Amino acid sequence: MRFHTSYRQSVLCGAALVALTLGLSGHSTAQAADVADKTGDVALEEVIVTAQKRSENLQTTPISVAVVSAKAVEDRHIYSLTDLNDGSAPGLRVTPFASRPYNVILSMRGVGIMSDTNQPAMDSGVGVYLDGVYLARPQGLDAGIYDIEAIEVLKGPQGTLYGRSAAGGAIVITNNRPKFESSASGLIEVGNYQMAHGTLVANTTLSDTVAVRA
């Protein structure tokens, strides 16, 4: 992002004021101002999304998208769609059913059409896609999220790309793809009220063209 010259001084003054308020050292403030003065740019981390079914920069994607990366999933202990209620995707509400294990009602910006119905003719107002495959029924949607690359929450109607089942929005889950290297990782967590959680991921190559991940 590049600031016009006429706004640069205001931006730097504002940054200096914030630094003074937070009690930062004068040396650090001067160093930051010097770097900004030389470059005139503010560096932002590049986020690649597939919201339009192609890889592109989030800043150039004309869709309201909330992205939860694999690291964020691990740090925030997101193990199911219900855990997205922690504020990771504002505007999304995931309501579980106690009487129906792993069933959920999804609503995006208040739009959720019969998400917990068993009737084949009734579609959800929010579509859920796992590696490009549409999960049409609510049964099992809350079963678990493991070893993913990212979760993209697309807000607003997505009928052009995702069909009538995405009137409120879409949740796009992308798993990690097999890599041509051997690796393994695991995680064990324990907590109060007999809470225990564990995952194990293994990746191996079978040939020069075939790899397996489980």
Side-chain angles (χ1 to χ4, degrees), residues 26-214:
H27 174 72
S28 299
T29 304
Q31 186 178 18
D34 182 62
V35 172
D37 184 67
K38 289 181 180 179
T39 63
D41 296 331
V42 177
L44 297 177
E45 182 181 358
E46 185 178 29
V47 179
I48 303 300
V49 298
T50 57
Q52 297 190 106
K53 298 191 175 182
R54 62 176 181 268
S55 298
E56 55 189 343
N57 193 316
L58 177 60
Q59 290 183 282
T60 60
T61 304
I63 300 175
S64 178
V65 185
V67 182
V68 185
S69 65
K71 186 177 187 308
V73 167
E74 181 179 346
D75 293 343
R76 300 176 186 178
H77 304 279
I78 297 175
Y79 303 127
S80 65
L81 290 181
T82 305
D83 293 332
L84 292 176
N85 284 327
D86 67 346
S88 300
L92 171 67
R93 182 173 179 81
V94 185
T95 305
F97 271 73
S99 59
R100 300 179 183 180
Y102 307 122
N103 284 26
V104 295
I105 283 183
L106 303 172
S107 64
M108 192 91 68
R109 294 177 174 175
V111 179
I113 306 174
M114 298 297 291
S115 297
D116 193 56
T117 180
N118 293 319
Q119 301 178 20
M122 302 298 292
D123 288 326
S124 169
V126 179
V128 180
Y129 299 82
L130 177 62
D131 290 334
V133 178
Y134 173 50
L135 306 180
R137 303 272 67 85
Q139 289 81 8
L141 286 184
D142 209 36
I145 298 175
Y146 306 104
D147 190 34
I148 68 161
E149 180 180 326
I151 303 174
E152 298 172 8
V153 179
L154 285 55
K155 304 174 184 179
Q158 307 296 327
T160 302
L161 291 174
Y162 293 93
R164 66 178 185 133
S165 58
I171 301 175
V172 181
I173 304 172
T174 304
N175 283 319
N176 279 316
R177 292 175 173 81
K179 299 177 175 60
F180 287 94
E181 60 183 26
S182 296
S183 64
S185 62
L187 174 67
I188 298 177
E189 295 180 320
V190 295
N192 296 337
Y193 305 105
Q194 299 181 343
M195 188 278 284
H197 176 264
T199 59
L200 175 64
V201 179
N203 189 103
T204 187
T205 57
L206 300 181
S207 67
D208 294 337
T209 57
V210 179
V212 176
R213 189 179 185 92

